[in-house]
Amino acid sequence: MQNAQIAAIFDRVADLLEFQGANPFRLRAYRNAARTIGDLSEPVAAILADESRSLTDVAGIGDDLASKISTLIETGTLPLLDDLLAKIPASVLGMLRVPGLGPKKAAALYKQLQIESLDQLREACEAGRVRELKGFGKKTEETILEGIDLAAHAEERIYWAEADELVQSLLAHFAKLDCIRQIEPAGSYRRGRETVGDLDFLVDSDAPGRVMDCLAEYSETDRILARGETKMSIRLVGGLQVDLRVVPADLFGAALQYFTGSKDHNVVLRGMAKQKGLKINEWGVFRTAEGDDSYVAGAKEADVYAALELPCFPPELREARQEFQWAHEGNLPQLVEIADIRGDLHMHTTATDGKATLEEMVEAAIARRLQYIAITDHSKRVTMANGLDARRLRAQWKEIDALRDQYGGFTILKGIECDILESGGMDLPDDVLAEADWVVASVHYGQNQSESQITDRILGALENPSVSAIAHPTGRLINRRKPYAVDLEQVLAAAARFGKLMELNANPARLDLDDVACAAAKRHRVPIVISTDAHSTRGLDVMRYGILQARRAGLTKADVANTRDWQELRGLIGKRPAYPTQELAGPTM
DNA sequence: GCCGTTTTCGGCCCGACTGTTTTCAGTCG
């Protein structure tokens, strides 16, 4: 059983316990464990199998949860979950997705009106039965009725790239206000998460009323959900919620820190503050000693962290994963930046399914100040994209030869995105691949095969001496297609063994390897190559989304292969151990 | 359910806003 499955089961247990009204701290223990395990860069099964280690070494996992994890790995089931499901039908959990319905109200509906599904909830609201319950009223009933439609889409989070468009539009809208001194988007957008569930804006102004009016007047504002002295929430026409907080300058840093989160990061932070006799909230850092509640810091975000003797963490790291430990050890990584990127090693042209010609792609790459690119059109198996056979590929390489003469200082690599066939093996003959400067291998077909089949196919590709990297290594499309079943641990171990690179595909719908998998690659000392997989000249601009994902994984410039010049990068391929980091504990075999 | 250089028991982050209430519980972030 994989980490993600164990995490999902613990989350489900937490949902059911919450519904039951269980001890909130017990609940939190399950939620914490779910997140910790989901974020772990190595399989818990591996920790369990290693006699020198214990699951209880993982923060937040005690004896009880460790034994539950063992049970899950050994038997695939958890008796506690079965017991809970025997008492509470899983369908009631859908009610928790209705905005305004929490565990208490949902439980009241279930117990007093026997409501088990959203359909039954709708009927009860329409019949006016919900308003009869104690603690409910007419208004609540209306809110629930509206929320039921939203609940169906509640799981849907938009791509960071889409969120960015909305953020830029809103910033432009606010720009006409002269009473705004500072404005910052916060929340998961600022942390660079691959998807965003709502938008948070923090504003420094002495005129909160005017700022809130401005948001209310935004052309895409559908309705106002709440509006108080300092805080306002609205829903956009598309359904996305926008939260706005307006504070004066001396509180801006504290509020920005608070609103950027993550929630878990803030919980840890406040716990640390408490130990130091301090209290942190969105209004600042305060001393809590008796008879003294004086303000310590709050104007700048860095001041808030400094008050706790912590570095001002890059927002991408604020997930309560390893950042506090890194800070404690003085090892906070210097994260990779877009300016570090020198080349792009995955892109298509009109020869297959790209929209721009070879020459247009070269021009566009030069305009973006890249030093080298690899042209990697599809191989023939991808008939839908008019994939290249050996003859057409060699013809393209001739064209590249001509362009190399034309664009002297710029490096154009002869590459191919070669399919890994369903039956295993590569889509082009070895002698052809051997002539290429750069070969990315990818799985496009047979994605429904078993984990062992797909893993074997990829392992086979890694063994091929001409293959340089595995492209979009899980095949997922966020919100649209699940990753195919693949044992990434085996793949990463093999990549390290053969000195191969792994791609982080920067397309906002792909972004695989994801942040957790990138951290796993780093653990295996496998270099990551961040590539755009551009199908047009504008497609080259998605690089920054890949950078955000890499930063969330804690990757540095040294961890990302295409921050090097091409000669140096080429030296990494086929070498073992893959590349030197700080101290090598010997090659991993 | 986890955790401990104050603790093996008794803590566990903190505040804004709403609706249904007459002082607060529930929800949310």
Side-chain angles (χ1 to χ4, degrees):
Chain A
M1 180 169 288
Q2 296 191 357
N3 290 2
Q5 295 169 284
I6 296 170
I9 287 170
F10 281 171
D11 255 331
R12 171 55 62 98
V13 167
D15 285 340
L16 290 162
L17 286 174
E18 186 173 25
F19 203 86
Q20 258 191 350
N23 176 352
F25 298 106
R26 183 179 174 213
L27 203 115
R28 203 171 85 186
Y30 279 97
R31 293 235 188 268
N32 273 340
R35 206 178 51 82
T36 305
I37 290 166
D39 284 351
L40 225 49
S41 78
E42 66 181 319
V44 286
I47 301 179
L48 210 56
D50 185 344
E51 283 183 7
S52 67
R53 301 166 69 194
S54 165
L55 277 177
T56 54
D57 295 338
V58 179
I61 308 292
D63 290 336
D64 183 89
L65 286 174
S67 100
K68 287 194 167 78
I69 293 168
S70 303
T71 305
L72 272 169
I73 286 175
E74 282 160 24
T75 69
T77 59
L78 187 64
L80 170 64
L81 179 60
D82 298 336
D83 290 348
L84 287 167
L85 285 172
K87 288 179 200 142
I88 307 164
S91 59
V92 299
L93 298 178
M95 284 198 273
L96 295 177
R97 288 204 298 272
V98 177
L101 268 193
K104 293 279 163 53
K105 284 202 160 82
L109 291 165
Y110 172 57
K111 282 180 191 146
Q112 297 177 46
L113 295 179
Q114 289 77 49
I115 291 172
E116 291 185 16
S117 69
L118 291 180
D119 285 339
Q120 291 171 2
L121 181 59
R122 186 194 304 277
E123 278 177 44
C125 286
E126 284 167 354
R129 284 188 288 139
V130 169
R131 74 183 74 169
E132 311 280 311
L133 297 185
K134 187 170 190 292
F136 291 74
K138 191 161 180 291
K139 188 88 187 183
T140 306
E141 196 175 72
E142 285 168 11
T143 310
I144 291 173
L145 212 41
E146 280 178 35
I148 290 173
D149 292 326
L150 290 171
H153 309 285
E155 302 288 273
E156 194 92 332
R157 297 167 58 91
I158 63 174
Y159 297 157
W160 189 92
E162 297 173 298
D164 187 47
E165 281 183 27
L166 287 168
V167 165
Q168 299 313 323
S169 164
L170 275 156
L171 286 176
H173 176 71
F174 280 121
K176 59 190 173 212
L177 273 190
D178 56 4
C179 60
I180 292 180
R181 282 184 298 260
Q182 305 177 71
I183 179 164
E184 280 288 344
S188 54
Y189 169 81
R190 183 164 181 244
R191 299 200 311 279
R193 280 195 54 173
E194 58 193 31
T195 59
V196 171
D198 62 8
L199 298 180
D200 302 286
F201 282 90
L202 189 70
V203 170
D204 165 12
S205 173
D206 297 324
R210 285 185 60 203
V211 180
M212 289 184 192
D213 288 343
C214 182
L215 179 58
E217 289 158 12
Y218 179 58
S219 59
E220 298 296 303
T221 296
D222 182 36
R223 59 166 299 177
I224 294 167
L225 300 172
R227 179 171 172 163
E229 297 279 312
T230 62
K231 217 175 128 177
M232 177 178 183
S233 295
I234 61 131
R235 190 155 53 231
L236 296 177
V237 175
L240 198 74
Q241 185 171 327
V242 180
D243 296 325
L244 171 71
R245 189 71 171 258
V246 189
V247 299
D250 57 335
L251 305 176
F252 191 77
L256 180 60
Q257 192 288 316
Y258 167 79
F259 252 88
T260 298
S262 67
K263 191 171 183 275
D264 296 301
H265 175 91
N266 286 353
V267 167
V268 174
L269 203 64
R270 290 184 208 150
M272 292 174 78
K274 208 164 186 176
Q275 291 200 326
K276 287 182 180 294
L278 298 169
K279 182 178 77 170
I280 298 185
N281 57 33
E282 58 259 62
W283 304 104
V285 184
F286 303 90
R287 214 170 297 287
T288 51
E290 225 170 295
D292 177 16
D293 56 350
S294 58
Y295 169 92
V296 177
K300 292 216 173 69
E301 201 175 37
D303 301 342
V304 174
Y305 285 107
L308 274 78
E309 297 169 77
L310 287 169
C312 189
F313 296 99
E316 295 93 333
L317 291 183
R318 301 183 195 174
E319 297 289 348
R321 289 177 179 172
Q322 287 180 278
E323 69 270 26
F324 292 106
Q325 193 193 333
W326 281 333
H328 180 69
E329 296 164 352
N331 271 339
L332 201 62
Q334 184 75 41
L335 301 182
V336 63
E337 294 176 14
I338 184 88
D340 295 329
I341 296 294
R342 300 198 187 174
D344 190 342
L345 294 169
H346 186 168
M347 66 186 66
H348 299 266
T349 74
T350 46
T352 60
D353 57 351
K355 300 273 187 294
T357 63
L358 182 49
E359 189 165 4
E360 285 166 341
M361 292 305 281
V362 170
E363 293 272 1
I366 292 171
R368 285 160 180 77
R369 301 181 185 283
L370 294 176
Q371 296 174 3
Y372 56 92
I373 58 171
I375 300 298
T376 55
D377 270 309
H378 289 289
S379 61
K380 62 186 195 304
R381 173 68 183 87
V382 192
T383 45
M384 229 172 63
N386 191 24
L388 304 177
D389 58 17
R391 187 186 57 78
R392 289 178 60 215
L393 179 58
R394 285 189 167 122
Q396 186 183 55
W397 288 348
K398 276 216 168 108
E399 273 186 68
I400 291 178
D401 279 331
L403 283 177
R404 280 177 175 174
D405 294 338
Q406 197 178 329
Y407 296 95
F410 184 77
T411 303
I412 311 166
L413 300 169
K414 296 174 181 173
I416 180 78
E417 178 178 15
C418 186
D419 256 58
I420 303 171
L421 299 172
E422 292 103 306
S423 53
M426 305 299 289
D427 189 27
L428 288 167
D430 284 345
D431 64 312
V432 178
L433 295 180
E435 290 172 34
D437 300 313
W438 173 260
V439 176
V440 286
S442 39
V443 168
H444 287 111
Y445 293 92
Q447 297 200 12
N448 289 326
Q449 290 177 352
S450 70
E451 179 175 309
S452 65
Q453 277 177 300
I454 294 182
T455 304
D456 284 346
R457 285 166 67 191
I458 296 177
L459 293 179
L462 286 166
E463 244 177 278
N464 186 308
S466 297
V467 168
S468 323
I470 302 295
H472 41 72
T474 76
R476 71 158 176 180
L477 293 175
I478 297 170
N479 286 345
R480 297 211 300 271
R481 186 173 73 204
K482 290 213 170 306
Y484 43 69
V486 56
D487 185 339
L488 271 181
E489 274 298 298
Q490 275 199 60
V491 168
L492 293 172
R497 194 157 63 241
F498 296 114
K500 300 301 169 68
L501 282 54
M502 296 296 282
E503 177 182 275
L504 162 48
N505 191 296
N507 185 301
R510 290 190 180 272
L511 292 173
D512 61 343
L513 299 177
D514 69 12
D515 48 0
V516 172
C518 280
K522 181 169 181 168
R523 185 166 46 78
H524 282 276
R525 300 190 206 97
V526 173
I528 295 289
V529 55
I530 308 178
S531 303
T532 63
D533 198 354
H535 283 70
S536 65
T537 54
R538 280 199 58 197
L540 294 170
D541 295 325
V542 302
M543 184 64 81
R544 65 196 191 108
Y545 310 132
I547 296 288
L548 276 176
Q549 185 81 299
R551 289 171 63 87
R552 290 178 53 77
L555 299 192
T556 65
K557 184 176 171 181
D559 298 321
V560 178
N562 51 322
T563 60
R564 294 165 171 76
D565 65 38
W566 167 243
Q567 292 305 330
E568 202 184 331
L569 193 163
R570 187 162 65 174
L572 296 177
I573 307 169
K575 252 169 103 178
R576 176 174 63 89
Y579 75 115
T581 50
Q582 301 87 352
E583 71 282 345
L584 287 180
T588 44
M589 293 300 287

